[in-house]
Amino acid sequence: MRTAERRNSRTMKDSRFLVPTVTPFRADGSINYDALKKLVRYVLDEGADGIYAGGASSEFVLLTEEEREKVVETVVRAADGATVVAHVGDASTDKCERLARHAKKVGADGVSAVPPFWYGYTIDEIADYYRVIADAAELPVMIYNIPACSGVMFTTEQFCKILSDERIVSVKFTDTDYFTMERIIQHTGKTVYSGCDQCFLSAIAAGAKGAIGTTFNFMMKKYIAIYDAFTQGDNQKALEIMTSTNNITEEIVKNNCIQTTKYLLTLIGIEAGVCRRPFRPLSDADKLALQNAYEKNI
């Protein structure tokens, strides 16, 4: 599955930027795997360290289990040795277990999982869920913390409990509680990635190692420039670039983030299509506002 020499020398452990690729759909709702391959190559050429495959940006809850497996396999092949973290989270632990085994089989470097959602599980049940995933994958595991969607709001102590398993090595922190994020880092020493694109600069200031964000699909270079300016001590430059990205993001969040990202990808030649139902297509006015913001700030 992998080439003899890795295209990218980074691993899951030392990657800064992973792109949660969207899933391109054709007009009939089928997945356009050729367009997905093109997107993977594009974001890697733009400077990403790797791909976060099958996450929220992929519309994973609207994909079948077979489609989720094929998306990960397609991404691994297209990445050609660059880091791939496969999101295998689900409401069903049994499904997660199957997806984790598949991710290992096709050559992913690590797996990630949103906590089990809907029924309000105990922290012990959630910890068991992550242990099953780690057992099945035999790969490093990343917690996907996104309380606004999962409904699961971990305390610092609960994060520490789950992260006490040495196989669970990192957190995708899609939240803006940077006090909790900083405490996780200090108490566990584990790697934390920012998941809120619009607050990326705040997150790295609070200790995030890097980020995993939907808008990286079409403006990866700008986030790399923010990171480089910040780490070089040029905070003013970092803020100026962050402002320009947020001028685009401000228009994005007025609509569905995935749908708007797909539209902006079409402007750079990636046939990303639209989202699956029940998402509705963007209006012409929405498209015009997005295009204007993109052209003025990219």
Side-chain angles (χ1 to χ4, degrees):
M1 185 65 65
R2 293 300 186 92
T3 55
E5 291 188 20
R6 296 181 63 86
R7 177 187 181 277
N8 190 316
S9 62
R10 292 185 183 274
T11 63
M12 178 175 169
K13 182 178 180 180
D14 59 15
S15 294
R16 292 178 307 165
F17 294 103
L18 300 174
V19 179
T21 45
V22 298
T23 303
F25 293 116
R26 298 186 180 90
D28 64 0
S30 63
I31 297 176
N32 185 340
Y33 291 102
D34 288 337
L36 178 57
K37 294 175 189 175
K38 184 177 180 180
L39 176 58
V40 170
R41 301 309 318 156
Y42 171 76
V43 296
L44 291 174
D45 289 343
E46 288 287 287
D49 298 314
I51 308 297
Y52 185 88
S57 300
S58 77
E59 301 171 64
F60 79 93
V61 294
L62 303 178
L63 303 180
T64 66
E65 186 172 339
E66 181 180 5
E67 287 174 329
R68 291 181 68 179
E69 290 181 344
K70 190 168 181 180
V71 162
V72 170
E73 184 172 350
T74 299
V75 168
V76 170
R77 288 184 180 276
D80 191 25
T83 301
V84 176
V85 176
H87 176 257
V88 300
D90 198 84
S92 163
T93 303
D94 290 340
K95 187 184 292 185
C96 293
E97 190 173 25
R98 292 191 297 270
L99 290 169
R101 288 187 180 129
H102 175 266
K104 169 70 171 179
K105 178 181 177 182
V106 300
D109 298 283
V111 297
S112 178
V114 68
F117 42 86
W118 191 265
Y119 287 113
Y121 300 102
T122 67
I123 188 60
D124 289 332
E125 289 169 328
I126 295 172
D128 286 342
Y129 164 92
Y130 281 106
R131 279 194 287 270
V132 169
I133 291 170
D135 288 343
E138 299 181 298
L139 293 169
V141 178
M142 177 188 296
I143 298 171
Y144 182 5
N145 177 58
I146 183 167
C149 293
S150 70
V152 179
M153 180 73 75
F154 292 124
T155 65
T156 301
E157 291 73 20
Q158 289 171 334
F159 271 116
C160 290
K161 178 181 177 67
I162 298 171
L163 290 165
S164 65
D165 186 326
E166 64 182 14
R167 301 169 300 173
I168 303 172
V169 301
S170 56
V171 179
K172 180 180 186 291
F173 196 84
T174 308
D175 192 14
T176 56
D177 179 2
Y178 294 122
F179 171 69
T180 295
M181 190 196 80
E182 185 270 341
R183 290 292 85 195
I184 295 167
I185 296 168
Q186 293 303 314
H187 288 309
T188 70
K190 300 294 178 80
T191 298
V192 175
Y193 294 90
S194 168
C196 290
D197 302 13
Q198 67 275 26
C199 300
F200 171 61
L201 184 55
S202 300
I204 58 174
K209 179 176 183 176
I212 304 168
T214 304
T215 60
F216 296 2
N217 279 271
F218 63 89
M219 53 179 173
M220 184 73 267
K221 286 183 177 178
K222 291 183 78 69
Y223 287 96
I224 294 172
I226 295 166
Y227 182 92
D228 289 345
F230 177 79
T231 55
Q232 292 164 13
D234 194 341
N235 295 341
Q236 184 58 40
K237 181 178 179 181
L239 181 57
E240 289 172 358
I241 304 169
M242 187 78 253
T243 298
S244 71
T245 65
N246 278 346
N247 288 340
I248 301 172
T249 303
E250 186 173 23
E251 288 299 326
I252 285 174
V253 297
K254 291 177 182 178
N255 295 282
N256 167 254
C257 180
I258 305 169
Q259 183 76 296
T260 50
T261 293
K262 286 186 170 185
Y263 174 68
L264 290 172
L265 282 170
T266 67
L267 300 181
I268 56 177
I270 306 291
E271 298 176 11
V274 296
C275 293
R276 279 185 172 169
R277 296 185 296 178
F279 289 123
R280 299 182 66 183
L282 297 173
S283 69
D284 289 341
D286 292 332
K287 291 179 180 179
L288 180 60
L290 281 166
Q291 186 171 349
N292 287 338
Y294 179 80
E295 291 175 350
K296 291 177 180 178
N297 293 280
I298 201 62

